[in-house]
Amino acid sequence: MPDVFADLVGQDEAVAELRRAAAAAAAVLRAGAAALVTAGPASGNESTADDAATGGLDPAAGMTHAWIFTGPPGSGRSVAARAFAAALQCVHGTGCGECPGCRTTMGGTHADVRLVVPEGLSIGVSEMRALVLRAASTPSGGRWQVVVIEDADRLTEAAGNALLKAIEEPPPRTVFLLCAPSTHPDDISVTIRSRCRVVPLRQPPADAVAEVLARRDGIAPDVAQWAAAAAQGHVGRARRLARDPEARKRREAVLAVPRRLTGIGAAFDAASALIEAAEAEAAASVTEADTAERAALETALGAGGTGRGAAGAMRGAAGQLKELEKRQKSRATRAQRDALDRALVDLAGFYRDALTMALGAPVAPVHTDTAALAGAGAQKWDAEGALRRLEAVLACRAAIEANVKPRIAVEAMMLALWKG
């Protein structure tokens, strides 16, 4: 198994900082163990032993109890957080990738690593309170309790306040790792940000993404290079494009939109097709999980039972089934918006290509397979028209993020693209 930071593409500075912090955290544990042995049961060094037992972290030494990983989509925020969690659990303190601490953390089975991956539109206060309560326990493995919160920008205000209290008064030997697009107050509250160390990540270059796809996933170099450029540095999307024919078909349909915008009716038809494609993709991604979850819950509640009281037990389970349906609906909505956002990113890349061609900028196109179409658009629209269209796509993404109905936002975008 390679080093735990091997999948963090193009982030050399961040990796170096995290390695130093992991080494400092390991030194804290070694010093604490030595102090406890030296103190003994009646040595008079009780304060030293107490400090060691709390794992007193010194930010100046390279390690602290709360971190925020920021960066654009695809930069590897969650990858960095998981890798750092593994390095903290590494028996060598370096993230070797070979020891049980590294393996179980990267596999998602370590008892002292709590991973929060929001499936719905937000992370609620009840979930966060339960997480904070569990994080206050003593590490079972003797190292650190680590809480990794992916998409911390989805914390509700109440959930953020619950997390803030834990960060202000951190439990002994507990480390919080948060992932967010930026440190802007819209993404993460100023009070939380002020108590965390920020690790900024950048969009990895396409060459680095292509190298990882070829080396780790065995993808042909030419396909890896194309996918890395088309995904605009997003490692996950690049892998999906390189390996999934359906993903390539969806991308081709999105990039055909500019040719379809021949009138008002065509604009509304294109909007409907884009929404329906996102809904179909989302449904395909969650249907299997939804069915398995419902079956497991019904079995746990006694569905199919024939004993005395079985029917009554199922009648009393209606509330739990309703709560499950609510969570699944929220997850489906999130999946639809994620699928739609991927399509909008591809469309923005097309208009970006048209803009750079209209300006004669010496940069490579994002979508090499539609470069000729983008060039024709650049001649027809000129730089100003291409820029207006690019801004319309970006405005649609912002509107959906602000909870505007996706169909309304997409229809407005298509009309703006048609009118130019």
Side-chain angles (χ1 to χ4, degrees), residues 96-121:
C96 67
E98 298 292 341
C99 69
C102 289
R103 287 179 175 275
T104 54
T105 300
M106 297 303 289
T109 58
H110 198 290
D112 295 328
V113 178
R114 317 289 182 195
L115 187 63
V116 181
V117 183
E119 295 181 331
L121 298 177

mmCIF file with all atom_site columns, all heavy atoms in Angstrom, residues 96-121:
data_model
loop_
_atom_site.group_PDB
_atom_site.id
_atom_site.type_symbol
_atom_site.label_atom_id
_atom_site.label_alt_id
_atom_site.label_comp_id
_atom_site.label_asym_id
_atom_site.label_entity_id
_atom_site.label_seq_id
_atom_site.pdbx_PDB_ins_code
_atom_site.Cartn_x
_atom_site.Cartn_y
_atom_site.Cartn_z
_atom_site.occupancy
_atom_site.B_iso_or_equiv
_atom_site.pdbx_formal_charge
_atom_site.auth_seq_id
_atom_site.auth_comp_id
_atom_site.auth_asym_id
_atom_site.auth_atom_id
_atom_site.pdbx_PDB_model_num
ATOM 1   N N   . CYS A 1 96  ? 2.526   6.087  6.949  1.00 0.00 ? 96  CYS A N   1
ATOM 2   C CA  . CYS A 1 96  ? 3.275   5.111  6.150  1.00 0.00 ? 96  CYS A CA  1
ATOM 3   C C   . CYS A 1 96  ? 2.395   4.355  5.164  1.00 0.00 ? 96  CYS A C   1
ATOM 4   O O   . CYS A 1 96  ? 2.859   3.899  4.115  1.00 0.00 ? 96  CYS A O   1
ATOM 5   C CB  . CYS A 1 96  ? 3.991   4.126  7.071  1.00 0.00 ? 96  CYS A CB  1
ATOM 6   S SG  . CYS A 1 96  ? 2.860   3.049  8.013  1.00 0.00 ? 96  CYS A SG  1
ATOM 7   N N   . GLY A 1 97  ? 1.119   4.185  5.490  1.00 0.00 ? 97  GLY A N   1
ATOM 8   C CA  . GLY A 1 97  ? 0.228   3.441  4.625  1.00 0.00 ? 97  GLY A CA  1
ATOM 9   C C   . GLY A 1 97  ? 0.252   1.943  4.848  1.00 0.00 ? 97  GLY A C   1
ATOM 10  O O   . GLY A 1 97  ? -0.546  1.217  4.248  1.00 0.00 ? 97  GLY A O   1
ATOM 11  N N   . GLU A 1 98  ? 1.138   1.471  5.696  1.00 0.00 ? 98  GLU A N   1
ATOM 12  C CA  . GLU A 1 98  ? 1.297   0.026  5.904  1.00 0.00 ? 98  GLU A CA  1
ATOM 13  C C   . GLU A 1 98  ? 0.775   -0.455 7.254  1.00 0.00 ? 98  GLU A C   1
ATOM 14  O O   . GLU A 1 98  ? 0.336   -1.597 7.372  1.00 0.00 ? 98  GLU A O   1
ATOM 15  C CB  . GLU A 1 98  ? 2.782   -0.347 5.780  1.00 0.00 ? 98  GLU A CB  1
ATOM 16  C CG  . GLU A 1 98  ? 3.376   -0.068 4.417  1.00 0.00 ? 98  GLU A CG  1
ATOM 17  C CD  . GLU A 1 98  ? 2.799   -0.971 3.337  1.00 0.00 ? 98  GLU A CD  1
ATOM 18  O OE1 . GLU A 1 98  ? 2.241   -2.016 3.683  1.00 0.00 ? 98  GLU A OE1 1
ATOM 19  O OE2 . GLU A 1 98  ? 2.898   -0.618 2.150  1.00 0.00 ? 98  GLU A OE2 1
ATOM 20  N N   . CYS A 1 99  ? 0.826   0.395  8.262  1.00 0.00 ? 99  CYS A N   1
ATOM 21  C CA  . CYS A 1 99  ? 0.467   -0.039 9.612  1.00 0.00 ? 99  CYS A CA  1
ATOM 22  C C   . CYS A 1 99  ? -1.058  -0.162 9.746  1.00 0.00 ? 99  CYS A C   1
ATOM 23  O O   . CYS A 1 99  ? -1.810  0.361  8.920  1.00 0.00 ? 99  CYS A O   1
ATOM 24  C CB  . CYS A 1 99  ? 1.005   0.941  10.646 1.00 0.00 ? 99  CYS A CB  1
ATOM 25  S SG  . CYS A 1 99  ? 0.187   2.549  10.622 1.00 0.00 ? 99  CYS A SG  1
ATOM 26  N N   . PRO A 1 100 ? -1.532  -0.851 10.787 1.00 0.00 ? 100 PRO A N   1
ATOM 27  C CA  . PRO A 1 100 ? -2.983  -1.002 10.972 1.00 0.00 ? 100 PRO A CA  1
ATOM 28  C C   . PRO A 1 100 ? -3.717  0.329  11.088 1.00 0.00 ? 100 PRO A C   1
ATOM 29  O O   . PRO A 1 100 ? -4.847  0.457  10.605 1.00 0.00 ? 100 PRO A O   1
ATOM 30  C CB  . PRO A 1 100 ? -3.082  -1.815 12.268 1.00 0.00 ? 100 PRO A CB  1
ATOM 31  C CG  . PRO A 1 100 ? -1.795  -2.570 12.347 1.00 0.00 ? 100 PRO A CG  1
ATOM 32  C CD  . PRO A 1 100 ? -0.760  -1.663 11.763 1.00 0.00 ? 100 PRO A CD  1
ATOM 33  N N   . GLY A 1 101 ? -3.098  1.325  11.754 1.00 0.00 ? 101 GLY A N   1
ATOM 34  C CA  . GLY A 1 101 ? -3.758  2.622  11.888 1.00 0.00 ? 101 GLY A CA  1
ATOM 35  C C   . GLY A 1 101 ? -4.030  3.263  10.547 1.00 0.00 ? 101 GLY A C   1
ATOM 36  O O   . GLY A 1 101 ? -5.122  3.795  10.296 1.00 0.00 ? 101 GLY A O   1
ATOM 37  N N   . CYS A 1 102 ? -3.042  3.228  9.648  1.00 0.00 ? 102 CYS A N   1
ATOM 38  C CA  . CYS A 1 102 ? -3.219  3.798  8.311  1.00 0.00 ? 102 CYS A CA  1
ATOM 39  C C   . CYS A 1 102 ? -4.255  3.010  7.517  1.00 0.00 ? 102 CYS A C   1
ATOM 40  O O   . CYS A 1 102 ? -5.141  3.590  6.874  1.00 0.00 ? 102 CYS A O   1
ATOM 41  C CB  . CYS A 1 102 ? -1.883  3.807  7.563  1.00 0.00 ? 102 CYS A CB  1
ATOM 42  S SG  . CYS A 1 102 ? -0.679  5.006  8.182  1.00 0.00 ? 102 CYS A SG  1
ATOM 43  N N   . ARG A 1 103 ? -4.143  1.697  7.561  1.00 0.00 ? 103 ARG A N   1
ATOM 44  C CA  . ARG A 1 103 ? -5.027  0.866  6.753  1.00 0.00 ? 103 ARG A CA  1
ATOM 45  C C   . ARG A 1 103 ? -6.495  0.992  7.180  1.00 0.00 ? 103 ARG A C   1
ATOM 46  O O   . ARG A 1 103 ? -7.395  1.123  6.337  1.00 0.00 ? 103 ARG A O   1
ATOM 47  C CB  . ARG A 1 103 ? -4.590  -0.596 6.843  1.00 0.00 ? 103 ARG A CB  1
ATOM 48  C CG  . ARG A 1 103 ? -3.307  -0.909 6.074  1.00 0.00 ? 103 ARG A CG  1
ATOM 49  C CD  . ARG A 1 103 ? -2.922  -2.374 6.230  1.00 0.00 ? 103 ARG A CD  1
ATOM 50  N NE  . ARG A 1 103 ? -1.775  -2.722 5.431  1.00 0.00 ? 103 ARG A NE  1
ATOM 51  C CZ  . ARG A 1 103 ? -1.819  -3.087 4.145  1.00 0.00 ? 103 ARG A CZ  1
ATOM 52  N NH1 . ARG A 1 103 ? -2.993  -3.128 3.533  1.00 0.00 ? 103 ARG A NH1 1
ATOM 53  N NH2 . ARG A 1 103 ? -0.726  -3.403 3.479  1.00 0.00 ? 103 ARG A NH2 1
ATOM 54  N N   . THR A 1 104 ? -6.746  0.945  8.473  1.00 0.00 ? 104 THR A N   1
ATOM 55  C CA  . THR A 1 104 ? -8.137  1.016  8.934  1.00 0.00 ? 104 THR A CA  1
ATOM 56  C C   . THR A 1 104 ? -8.723  2.410  8.724  1.00 0.00 ? 104 THR A C   1
ATOM 57  O O   . THR A 1 104 ? -9.912  2.539  8.404  1.00 0.00 ? 104 THR A O   1
ATOM 58  C CB  . THR A 1 104 ? -8.238  0.626  10.420 1.00 0.00 ? 104 THR A CB  1
ATOM 59  O OG1 . THR A 1 104 ? -7.329  1.441  11.189 1.00 0.00 ? 104 THR A OG1 1
ATOM 60  C CG2 . THR A 1 104 ? -7.894  -0.837 10.623 1.00 0.00 ? 104 THR A CG2 1
ATOM 61  N N   . THR A 1 105 ? -7.905  3.443  8.878  1.00 0.00 ? 105 THR A N   1
ATOM 62  C CA  . THR A 1 105 ? -8.417  4.799  8.647  1.00 0.00 ? 105 THR A CA  1
ATOM 63  C C   . THR A 1 105 ? -8.766  5.003  7.178  1.00 0.00 ? 105 THR A C   1
ATOM 64  O O   . THR A 1 105 ? -9.850  5.491  6.847  1.00 0.00 ? 105 THR A O   1
ATOM 65  C CB  . THR A 1 105 ? -7.389  5.850  9.085  1.00 0.00 ? 105 THR A CB  1
ATOM 66  O OG1 . THR A 1 105 ? -7.104  5.682  10.478 1.00 0.00 ? 105 THR A OG1 1
ATOM 67  C CG2 . THR A 1 105 ? -7.940  7.253  8.866  1.00 0.00 ? 105 THR A CG2 1
ATOM 68  N N   . MET A 1 106 ? -7.863  4.625  6.292  1.00 0.00 ? 106 MET A N   1
ATOM 69  C CA  . MET A 1 106 ? -8.131  4.797  4.864  1.00 0.00 ? 106 MET A CA  1
ATOM 70  C C   . MET A 1 106 ? -9.277  3.892  4.408  1.00 0.00 ? 106 MET A C   1
ATOM 71  O O   . MET A 1 106 ? -9.989  4.213  3.457  1.00 0.00 ? 106 MET A O   1
ATOM 72  C CB  . MET A 1 106 ? -6.873  4.499  4.050  1.00 0.00 ? 106 MET A CB  1
ATOM 73  C CG  . MET A 1 106 ? -5.713  5.447  4.348  1.00 0.00 ? 106 MET A CG  1
ATOM 74  S SD  . MET A 1 106 ? -6.112  7.190  4.094  1.00 0.00 ? 106 MET A SD  1
ATOM 75  C CE  . MET A 1 106 ? -6.206  7.273  2.302  1.00 0.00 ? 106 MET A CE  1
ATOM 76  N N   . GLY A 1 107 ? -9.463  2.781  5.100  1.00 0.00 ? 107 GLY A N   1
ATOM 77  C CA  . GLY A 1 107 ? -10.571 1.885  4.771  1.00 0.00 ? 107 GLY A CA  1
ATOM 78  C C   . GLY A 1 107 ? -11.890 2.276  5.411  1.00 0.00 ? 107 GLY A C   1
ATOM 79  O O   . GLY A 1 107 ? -12.925 1.651  5.151  1.00 0.00 ? 107 GLY A O   1
ATOM 80  N N   . GLY A 1 108 ? -11.868 3.287  6.278  1.00 0.00 ? 108 GLY A N   1
ATOM 81  C CA  . GLY A 1 108 ? -13.088 3.763  6.917  1.00 0.00 ? 108 GLY A CA  1
ATOM 82  C C   . GLY A 1 108 ? -13.572 2.924  8.073  1.00 0.00 ? 108 GLY A C   1
ATOM 83  O O   . GLY A 1 108 ? -14.746 2.999  8.453  1.00 0.00 ? 108 GLY A O   1
ATOM 84  N N   . THR A 1 109 ? -12.666 2.129  8.686  1.00 0.00 ? 109 THR A N   1
ATOM 85  C CA  . THR A 1 109 ? -13.097 1.241  9.770  1.00 0.00 ? 109 THR A CA  1
ATOM 86  C C   . THR A 1 109 ? -12.391 1.530  11.092 1.00 0.00 ? 109 THR A C   1
ATOM 87  O O   . THR A 1 109 ? -12.561 0.759  12.034 1.00 0.00 ? 109 THR A O   1
ATOM 88  C CB  . THR A 1 109 ? -12.835 -0.230 9.377  1.00 0.00 ? 109 THR A CB  1
ATOM 89  O OG1 . THR A 1 109 ? -11.432 -0.414 9.101  1.00 0.00 ? 109 THR A OG1 1
ATOM 90  C CG2 . THR A 1 109 ? -13.643 -0.610 8.153  1.00 0.00 ? 109 THR A CG2 1
ATOM 91  N N   . HIS A 1 110 ? -11.617 2.596  11.174 1.00 0.00 ? 110 HIS A N   1
ATOM 92  C CA  . HIS A 1 110 ? -10.901 2.880  12.428 1.00 0.00 ? 110 HIS A CA  1
ATOM 93  C C   . HIS A 1 110 ? -11.890 3.338  13.503 1.00 0.00 ? 110 HIS A C   1
ATOM 94  O O   . HIS A 1 110 ? -12.743 4.196  13.259 1.00 0.00 ? 110 HIS A O   1
ATOM 95  C CB  . HIS A 1 110 ? -9.842  3.956  12.206 1.00 0.00 ? 110 HIS A CB  1
ATOM 96  C CG  . HIS A 1 110 ? -8.803  4.013  13.283 1.00 0.00 ? 110 HIS A CG  1
ATOM 97  N ND1 . HIS A 1 110 ? -9.095  4.453  14.556 1.00 0.00 ? 110 HIS A ND1 1
ATOM 98  C CD2 . HIS A 1 110 ? -7.498  3.670  13.297 1.00 0.00 ? 110 HIS A CD2 1
ATOM 99  C CE1 . HIS A 1 110 ? -7.991  4.397  15.305 1.00 0.00 ? 110 HIS A CE1 1
ATOM 100 N NE2 . HIS A 1 110 ? -7.005  3.926  14.554 1.00 0.00 ? 110 HIS A NE2 1
ATOM 101 N N   . ALA A 1 111 ? -11.759 2.778  14.700 1.00 0.00 ? 111 ALA A N   1
ATOM 102 C CA  . ALA A 1 111 ? -12.722 3.059  15.770 1.00 0.00 ? 111 ALA A CA  1
ATOM 103 C C   . ALA A 1 111 ? -12.648 4.490  16.271 1.00 0.00 ? 111 ALA A C   1
ATOM 104 O O   . ALA A 1 111 ? -13.633 4.999  16.823 1.00 0.00 ? 111 ALA A O   1
ATOM 105 C CB  . ALA A 1 111 ? -12.483 2.093  16.935 1.00 0.00 ? 111 ALA A CB  1
ATOM 106 N N   . ASP A 1 112 ? -11.514 5.162  16.084 1.00 0.00 ? 112 ASP A N   1
ATOM 107 C CA  . ASP A 1 112 ? -11.337 6.511  16.623 1.00 0.00 ? 112 ASP A CA  1
ATOM 108 C C   . ASP A 1 112 ? -11.422 7.591  15.551 1.00 0.00 ? 112 ASP A C   1
ATOM 109 O O   . ASP A 1 112 ? -11.048 8.737  15.804 1.00 0.00 ? 112 ASP A O   1
ATOM 110 C CB  . ASP A 1 112 ? -9.988  6.615  17.341 1.00 0.00 ? 112 ASP A CB  1
ATOM 111 C CG  . ASP A 1 112 ? -9.924  5.732  18.576 1.00 0.00 ? 112 ASP A CG  1
ATOM 112 O OD1 . ASP A 1 112 ? -10.982 5.537  19.206 1.00 0.00 ? 112 ASP A OD1 1
ATOM 113 O OD2 . ASP A 1 112 ? -8.834  5.226  18.893 1.00 0.00 ? 112 ASP A OD2 1
ATOM 114 N N   . VAL A 1 113 ? -11.887 7.262  14.369 1.00 0.00 ? 113 VAL A N   1
ATOM 115 C CA  . VAL A 1 113 ? -12.036 8.247  13.298 1.00 0.00 ? 113 VAL A CA  1
ATOM 116 C C   . VAL A 1 113 ? -13.506 8.326  12.911 1.00 0.00 ? 113 VAL A C   1
ATOM 117 O O   . VAL A 1 113 ? -14.086 7.347  12.419 1.00 0.00 ? 113 VAL A O   1
ATOM 118 C CB  . VAL A 1 113 ? -11.180 7.884  12.071 1.00 0.00 ? 113 VAL A CB  1
ATOM 119 C CG1 . VAL A 1 113 ? -11.395 8.913  10.951 1.00 0.00 ? 113 VAL A CG1 1
ATOM 120 C CG2 . VAL A 1 113 ? -9.699  7.839  12.448 1.00 0.00 ? 113 VAL A CG2 1
ATOM 121 N N   . ARG A 1 114 ? -14.130 9.463  13.185 1.00 0.00 ? 114 ARG A N   1
ATOM 122 C CA  . ARG A 1 114 ? -15.544 9.685  12.845 1.00 0.00 ? 114 ARG A CA  1
ATOM 123 C C   . ARG A 1 114 ? -15.599 10.464 11.539 1.00 0.00 ? 114 ARG A C   1
ATOM 124 O O   . ARG A 1 114 ? -15.024 11.546 11.426 1.00 0.00 ? 114 ARG A O   1
ATOM 125 C CB  . ARG A 1 114 ? -16.256 10.496 13.925 1.00 0.00 ? 114 ARG A CB  1
ATOM 126 C CG  . ARG A 1 114 ? -15.921 10.090 15.343 1.00 0.00 ? 114 ARG A CG  1
ATOM 127 C CD  . ARG A 1 114 ? -16.511 8.765  15.701 1.00 0.00 ? 114 ARG A CD  1
ATOM 128 N NE  . ARG A 1 114 ? -16.225 8.419  17.087 1.00 0.00 ? 114 ARG A NE  1
ATOM 129 C CZ  . ARG A 1 114 ? -16.374 7.222  17.596 1.00 0.00 ? 114 ARG A CZ  1
ATOM 130 N NH1 . ARG A 1 114 ? -16.823 6.246  16.836 1.00 0.00 ? 114 ARG A NH1 1
ATOM 131 N NH2 . ARG A 1 114 ? -16.085 6.955  18.849 1.00 0.00 ? 114 ARG A NH2 1
ATOM 132 N N   . LEU A 1 115 ? -16.305 9.931  10.572 1.00 0.00 ? 115 LEU A N   1
ATOM 133 C CA  . LEU A 1 115 ? -16.391 10.549 9.250  1.00 0.00 ? 115 LEU A CA  1
ATOM 134 C C   . LEU A 1 115 ? -17.817 10.987 8.981  1.00 0.00 ? 115 LEU A C   1
ATOM 135 O O   . LEU A 1 115 ? -18.741 10.175 9.029  1.00 0.00 ? 115 LEU A O   1
ATOM 136 C CB  . LEU A 1 115 ? -15.940 9.546  8.181  1.00 0.00 ? 115 LEU A CB  1
ATOM 137 C CG  . LEU A 1 115 ? -15.815 10.062 6.757  1.00 0.00 ? 115 LEU A CG  1
ATOM 138 C CD1 . LEU A 1 115 ? -14.740 11.136 6.669  1.00 0.00 ? 115 LEU A CD1 1
ATOM 139 C CD2 . LEU A 1 115 ? -15.496 8.916  5.800  1.00 0.00 ? 115 LEU A CD2 1
ATOM 140 N N   . VAL A 1 116 ? -18.005 12.279 8.737  1.00 0.00 ? 116 VAL A N   1
ATOM 141 C CA  . VAL A 1 116 ? -19.324 12.837 8.441  1.00 0.00 ? 116 VAL A CA  1
ATOM 142 C C   . VAL A 1 116 ? -19.363 13.200 6.967  1.00 0.00 ? 116 VAL A C   1
ATOM 143 O O   . VAL A 1 116 ? -18.679 14.128 6.528  1.00 0.00 ? 116 VAL A O   1
ATOM 144 C CB  . VAL A 1 116 ? -19.616 14.080 9.303  1.00 0.00 ? 116 VAL A CB  1
ATOM 145 C CG1 . VAL A 1 116 ? -21.004 14.623 8.983  1.00 0.00 ? 116 VAL A CG1 1
ATOM 146 C CG2 . VAL A 1 116 ? -19.502 13.752 10.779 1.00 0.00 ? 116 VAL A CG2 1
ATOM 147 N N   . VAL A 1 117 ? -20.161 12.456 6.199  1.00 0.00 ? 117 VAL A N   1
ATOM 148 C CA  . VAL A 1 117 ? -20.329 12.723 4.770  1.00 0.00 ? 117 VAL A CA  1
ATOM 149 C C   . VAL A 1 117 ? -21.805 13.037 4.549  1.00 0.00 ? 117 VAL A C   1
ATOM 150 O O   . VAL A 1 117 ? -22.636 12.117 4.486  1.00 0.00 ? 117 VAL A O   1
ATOM 151 C CB  . VAL A 1 117 ? -19.907 11.511 3.915  1.00 0.00 ? 117 VAL A CB  1
ATOM 152 C CG1 . VAL A 1 117 ? -20.013 11.852 2.435  1.00 0.00 ? 117 VAL A CG1 1
ATOM 153 C CG2 . VAL A 1 117 ? -18.487 11.091 4.260  1.00 0.00 ? 117 VAL A CG2 1
ATOM 154 N N   . PRO A 1 118 ? -22.193 14.297 4.460  1.00 0.00 ? 118 PRO A N   1
ATOM 155 C CA  . PRO A 1 118 ? -23.611 14.642 4.347  1.00 0.00 ? 118 PRO A CA  1
ATOM 156 C C   . PRO A 1 118 ? -24.220 14.116 3.058  1.00 0.00 ? 118 PRO A C   1
ATOM 157 O O   . PRO A 1 118 ? -23.697 14.338 1.971  1.00 0.00 ? 118 PRO A O   1
ATOM 158 C CB  . PRO A 1 118 ? -23.612 16.178 4.384  1.00 0.00 ? 118 PRO A CB  1
ATOM 159 C CG  . PRO A 1 118 ? -22.240 16.571 3.945  1.00 0.00 ? 118 PRO A CG  1
ATOM 160 C CD  . PRO A 1 118 ? -21.325 15.496 4.432  1.00 0.00 ? 118 PRO A CD  1
ATOM 161 N N   . GLU A 1 119 ? -25.333 13.403 3.197  1.00 0.00 ? 119 GLU A N   1
ATOM 162 C CA  . GLU A 1 119 ? -26.033 12.896 2.020  1.00 0.00 ? 119 GLU A CA  1
ATOM 163 C C   . GLU A 1 119 ? -27.123 13.847 1.582  1.00 0.00 ? 119 GLU A C   1
ATOM 164 O O   . GLU A 1 119 ? -27.519 13.850 0.418  1.00 0.00 ? 119 GLU A O   1
ATOM 165 C CB  . GLU A 1 119 ? -26.634 11.525 2.332  1.00 0.00 ? 119 GLU A CB  1
ATOM 166 C CG  . GLU A 1 119 ? -25.592 10.448 2.607  1.00 0.00 ? 119 GLU A CG  1
ATOM 167 C CD  . GLU A 1 119 ? -26.235 9.101  2.879  1.00 0.00 ? 119 GLU A CD  1
ATOM 168 O OE1 . GLU A 1 119 ? -27.378 9.100  3.382  1.00 0.00 ? 119 GLU A OE1 1
ATOM 169 O OE2 . GLU A 1 119 ? -25.599 8.079  2.605  1.00 0.00 ? 119 GLU A OE2 1
ATOM 170 N N   . GLY A 1 120 ? -27.616 14.674 2.503  1.00 0.00 ? 120 GLY A N   1
ATOM 171 C CA  . GLY A 1 120 ? -28.677 15.614 2.181  1.00 0.00 ? 120 GLY A CA  1
ATOM 172 C C   . GLY A 1 120 ? -28.133 17.001 1.904  1.00 0.00 ? 120 GLY A C   1
ATOM 173 O O   . GLY A 1 120 ? -26.953 17.206 1.622  1.00 0.00 ? 120 GLY A O   1
ATOM 174 N N   . LEU A 1 121 ? -29.021 17.976 2.008  1.00 0.00 ? 121 LEU A N   1
ATOM 175 C CA  . LEU A 1 121 ? -28.649 19.348 1.694  1.00 0.00 ? 121 LEU A CA  1
ATOM 176 C C   . LEU A 1 121 ? -27.912 20.031 2.836  1.00 0.00 ? 121 LEU A C   1
ATOM 177 O O   . LEU A 1 121 ? -27.282 21.063 2.629  1.00 0.00 ? 121 LEU A O   1
ATOM 178 C CB  . LEU A 1 121 ? -29.905 20.157 1.337  1.00 0.00 ? 121 LEU A CB  1
ATOM 179 C CG  . LEU A 1 121 ? -30.682 19.672 0.106  1.00 0.00 ? 121 LEU A CG  1
ATOM 180 C CD1 . LEU A 1 121 ? -31.932 20.506 -0.099 1.00 0.00 ? 121 LEU A CD1 1
ATOM 181 C CD2 . LEU A 1 121 ? -29.801 19.715 -1.132 1.00 0.00 ? 121 LEU A CD2 1
#
